[in-house]
Amino acid sequence: MLTLAIETSCDETAAAVVRDGREILSNVISSQVAIHAEYGGVVPEIASRQHLEAVIPVIGEALRQAAVTLDDIQGVVATKGPGLVGALLVGLSTAKGIASVRNLPFVGVHHIEGHLLACFLERPAPFPFLALVVSGGHTHLYRVDGIGRYRQLGQTLDDAAGEAFDKSATLLGLGYPGGMVIDRLAGEGDPKRYPLPRPLFHDGSCNFSFSGLKTAVATLVRKEGEQVKEGQPLRDLCASFQAAVTDVLVAKTAAALEAEGLSRLVVAGGVACNSGLRGGMAGLAAAKGVELFIPSPILCTDNAAMIAVPGDFYLEQRLTDNLTLDAVASWPLPLAAAHRWLQ
Ligand code: KG4
Ligand code: ZN
């Protein structure tokens, strides 16, 4: 089955052609990040307009790179939510339009389901496994017993991990989105120089809280003054911040693996690009004899190929959606999956 996948949930216009939900023939991503950087965050109205301009050329490029035409496509899938509704609507409506005129089956996919199955495009993780999804909008732990079979074990109670990276980067004058910049500076810093809190470290739950960490960075900047925003102090602060986030994510993941009796771990989402987190999870996996699956960075951040993994599965199962499907801003993953099995 050759699937055309479209993803427009935030500030990336993305389209991919994927064979059997496993083999990427093309994976085109047009990022709006430079446009939003000026405003210090994603401006929803601008995102929608940019998607409108980019979506058709990006789909055209995905078909061209895959060396196929719409005549070869056997199913169309697109992100239905969660995300910015105006942005989602562009990709979803385009996908429905193509499905309608070509008389093709269509599936609206949950964005997080794409993230947590992205590793299937490189090295499929055998079920069951624990999945940690860490992105700009999500920090969630799931037990995954199969495609569409998810149990949420915990989530952030306030900011997502990526949000904490980006907000702290803004406080440190590193621009938006600054997760990647913190990562780069942290590589040359001392993670022990600034003691930062490890929120909910010992609470025994699978939940997270990162807003206090951002406040701790703000307090430190106020106390230490501008000198903490440059040179070695800045590198040390980035390293200290990254170590605090990594410590919490690794400790909670270790506890969840143990509680669920799981020996396979998937880490996904944009923050899974972070070198400190990748190192921390590799250490955890080695210490506990756990098999670790983290996609290549290009499949961790938003892309359309990952949407094709669950999309292809539901197309194959004939669990398709009709063309009245709407976009949703907020959509719990287990609910979305249960609804599809029940339809
Ligand atoms: O999954 P994603 O592309 O979009 C969402 O669904 O949110 O994740 C984007 C997030 C941003 O917060 C970005 O700063 C963060 O991932 N990110 C990183 C790194 N690369 C991307 N955070 C820390 N270290 C990185 N290397
Ligand atoms: Zn995402």
Side-chain angles (χ1 to χ4, degrees):
M1 157 103 62
L2 218 53
T3 305
L4 172 66
I6 303 169
E7 148 68 40
T8 61
S9 67
C10 191
D11 59 346
E12 260 100 32
T13 316
V17 178
V18 175
R19 193 189 308 281
D20 299 330
R22 294 292 181 276
E23 186 195 343
I24 299 176
L25 302 194
S26 64
N27 193 18
V28 177
I29 304 163
S30 167
S31 178
Q32 309 170 4
V33 73
I35 297 163
H36 298 289
E38 204 181 314
Y39 302 92
V42 177
V43 184
E45 179 61 17
I46 294 176
S48 312
R49 286 171 188 274
Q50 290 298 321
H51 285 308
L52 268 177
E53 282 186 23
V55 71
I56 299 296
V58 164
I59 292 170
E61 183 61 16
L63 293 170
R64 198 189 63 76
Q65 285 186 17
V68 300
T69 69
L70 276 182
D71 292 341
D72 303 305
I73 298 297
Q74 293 157 291
V76 186
V77 303
T79 308
K80 164 184 159 76
L84 303 170
V85 163
L88 286 161
L89 270 175
V90 176
L92 196 69
S93 307
T94 308
K96 290 195 294 186
I98 294 170
S100 168
V101 297
R102 291 276 164 169
N103 202 20
L104 291 169
F106 161 76
V107 169
V109 174
H110 195 292
H111 181 76
I112 296 305
E113 193 169 14
H115 272 306
L116 66 80
L117 298 173
C119 69
F120 282 63
L121 295 161
E122 294 179 327
R123 189 164 68 100
F127 301 109
F129 57 79
L130 181 78
L132 173 70
V133 181
V134 270
S135 71
H138 289 78
T139 304
H140 283 62
L141 271 169
Y142 298 102
R143 181 191 169 98
V144 181
D145 285 294
I147 297 185
R149 305 195 178 280
Y150 315 110
R151 187 154 59 80
Q152 186 175 310
L153 305 173
Q155 65 170 344
T156 183
L157 303 178
D158 39 58
D159 291 353
E163 204 178 344
F165 266 99
D166 295 340
K167 285 179 174 170
S168 298
T170 302
L171 286 167
L172 296 172
L174 300 175
Y176 176 88
M180 211 157 53
V181 186
I182 290 188
D183 190 357
R184 184 166 46 75
L185 293 169
E188 297 157 22
D190 172 8
K192 295 209 162 61
R193 173 153 177 190
Y194 297 104
L196 291 171
R198 267 74 173 153
L200 304 188
F201 198 74
H202 294 298
D203 78 332
S205 81
C206 286
N207 293 327
F208 305 90
S209 166
F210 291 110
S211 70
L213 190 52
K214 167 200 66 194
T215 307
V217 171
T219 307
L220 204 88
V221 169
R222 235 184 355 258
K223 222 169 71 196
E224 304 263 327
E226 289 300 303
Q227 59 92 23
V228 83
K229 292 188 182 175
E230 50 199 42
Q232 197 53 42
L234 173 63
R235 292 192 279 272
D236 292 342
L237 181 48
C238 287
S240 302
F241 172 83
Q242 188 164 294
V245 175
T246 299
D247 280 357
V248 174
L249 292 173
V250 169
K252 295 274 173 166
T253 301
L257 281 166
E258 192 127 341
E260 292 295 317
L262 293 170
S263 60
R264 283 178 290 266
L265 170 63
V266 168
V267 184
V271 183
C273 294
N274 184 265
S275 49
L277 183 61
R278 291 175 93 93
M281 289 300 178
L284 165 67
K288 301 263 179 199
V290 163
E291 201 179 352
L292 178 62
F293 300 79
I294 310 186
S296 302
I298 191 67
L299 294 177
C300 286
T301 45
D302 286 351
N303 66 89
M306 69 181 193
I307 299 303
V309 182
D312 172 87
F313 176 81
Y314 295 124
L315 287 171
E316 289 284 355
Q317 300 284 319
R318 307 215 191 296
L319 293 169
T320 53
D321 291 306
N322 65 41
L323 298 180
T324 56
L325 192 81
D326 213 351
V328 281
S330 159
W331 194 23
L333 175 59
L335 204 70
H339 181 256
R340 190 171 298 284
W341 289 115
L342 289 174
Q343 75 188 12

